[in-house]
Amino acid sequence: GDSVTQMEGPVTLSEEAFLTINCTYTATGYPSLFWYVQYPGEGLQLLLKATKADDKGSNKGFEATYRKETTSFHLEKGSVQVSDSAVYFCALSLIQGAQKLVFGQGTRLTINP
Amino acid sequence: DVKVTQSSRYLVKRTGEKVFLECVQDMDHENMFWYRQDPGLGLRLIYFSYDVKMKEKGDIPEGYSVSREKKERFSLILESASTNQTSMYLCASDRDRGHYGYTFGSGTRLTVV
């Protein structure tokens, strides 16, 4: 079945470090791909998305490129801040016949000053 | 801004009580979802609804039921609360079966004692 595999956490970085959180997927069709962020004590917020191969989603300095050949959607940020500390979820939905989003397990990110 | 509102941020209930978790969206979305989130298990889908009075079981429906009498409101019901239902509950809505991503509420942290 359709699934999303994320890099296991927790991930701890220093402020201004480069961030990569890996995400790969398995899908029978052509999915849309998403990154969500969850700050402490809150619900999930959509961070960015990409709906077709080679699309790049971006928001708040974060980027992810839809790579069909490697079935990946890795999240990157060039210089992280303490305020980026949160849990990040990768997710997919199929364009046709979609019933629901499929989420990865989440990756907890902590940024130290 | 579009909004999904969950009626309570924190709830404490006793074992055996009937518990209602309420969710309201103001976006005229047809699709609504209930998830629970537990450490190490990610997000798990309990129930979802694609229309008024419609409901579909998700991955873990046991011990839960739902009600959708109006388009904007989707209620999760714990018929007889148990301690293993202590969790964070997240409601979400969506306008196109996941293609554009979900909008989540802030969550209800339920403790059953």
Side-chain angles (χ1 to χ4, degrees):
Chain A
D2 305 320
S3 66
V4 174
T5 301
Q6 277 182 245
M7 160 179 186
E8 282 202 28
V11 175
T12 302
L13 295 172
S14 298
E15 206 165 21
E16 299 183 3
F18 184 87
L19 169 71
T20 300
I21 301 178
N22 291 338
C23 171
T24 57
Y25 67 88
T26 302
T28 52
Y30 300 95
S32 293
L33 300 172
F34 306 88
W35 277 101
Y36 282 84
V37 59
Q38 185 179 33
Y39 298 105
E42 297 187 11
L44 277 69
Q45 301 173 25
L46 181 63
L47 181 60
L48 53 84
K49 67 175 188 256
T51 58
K52 61 183 187 296
D54 300 324
D55 267 3
K56 179 185 284 189
S58 61
N59 187 24
K60 299 182 181 180
F62 290 90
E63 293 183 339
T65 301
Y66 188 143
R67 301 286 189 201
K68 186 179 175 185
E69 63 276 11
T70 54
T71 62
S72 65
F73 192 55
H74 303 322
L75 183 68
E76 297 181 335
K77 186 175 185 182
S79 177
V80 292
Q81 306 300 313
V82 172
S83 57
D84 294 326
S85 298
V87 180
Y88 292 82
F89 292 89
C90 186
L92 69 82
S93 75
L94 294 176
I95 295 173
Q96 294 181 350
Q99 296 293 312
K100 54 188 184 289
L101 286 184
V102 177
F103 287 89
Q105 292 297 308
T107 302
R108 181 175 297 278
L109 173 66
T110 301
I111 308 299
N112 293 322
Chain B
D1 256 358
V2 295
K3 279 197 176 155
V4 176
T5 303
Q6 294 185 231
S7 54
S8 304
R9 290 299 298 270
Y10 300 94
L11 274 179
V12 180
K13 297 292 182 181
R14 295 191 181 279
T15 301
E17 276 193 77
K18 190 169 186 176
V19 180
F20 293 84
L21 302 183
E22 306 288 346
C23 176
V24 177
Q25 50 99 0
D26 65 0
M27 299 164 282
D28 202 36
H29 284 174
E30 292 183 349
N31 312 320
M32 297 187 75
F33 308 82
W34 275 105
Y35 286 86
R36 65 177 282 177
Q37 182 181 16
D38 301 287
L41 297 177
L43 276 73
R44 293 181 291 169
L45 182 64
I46 306 171
Y47 267 97
F48 56 105
S49 169
Y50 286 135
D51 202 350
V52 175
K53 297 192 185 296
M54 273 194 56
K55 60 183 179 183
E56 299 279 348
K57 291 180 179 179
D59 301 318
I60 53 162
E62 297 78 18
Y64 303 94
S65 62
V66 290
S67 172
R68 192 154 181 215
E69 296 296 320
K70 294 185 177 181
K71 190 175 186 179
E72 66 270 18
R73 185 181 297 271
F74 192 37
S75 303
L76 180 69
I77 303 160
L78 286 66
E79 296 291 343
S80 178
S82 64
T83 55
N84 63 13
Q85 292 178 309
T86 292
S87 186
M88 169 72 96
Y89 290 88
L90 294 167
C91 176
S93 75
D94 155 67
R95 65 182 170 100
D96 191 18
R97 300 208 170 194
H99 184 58
Y100 297 99
Y102 295 173
T103 302
F104 280 86
S106 297
T108 296
R109 185 163 293 282
L110 173 67
T111 302
V112 182
V113 297

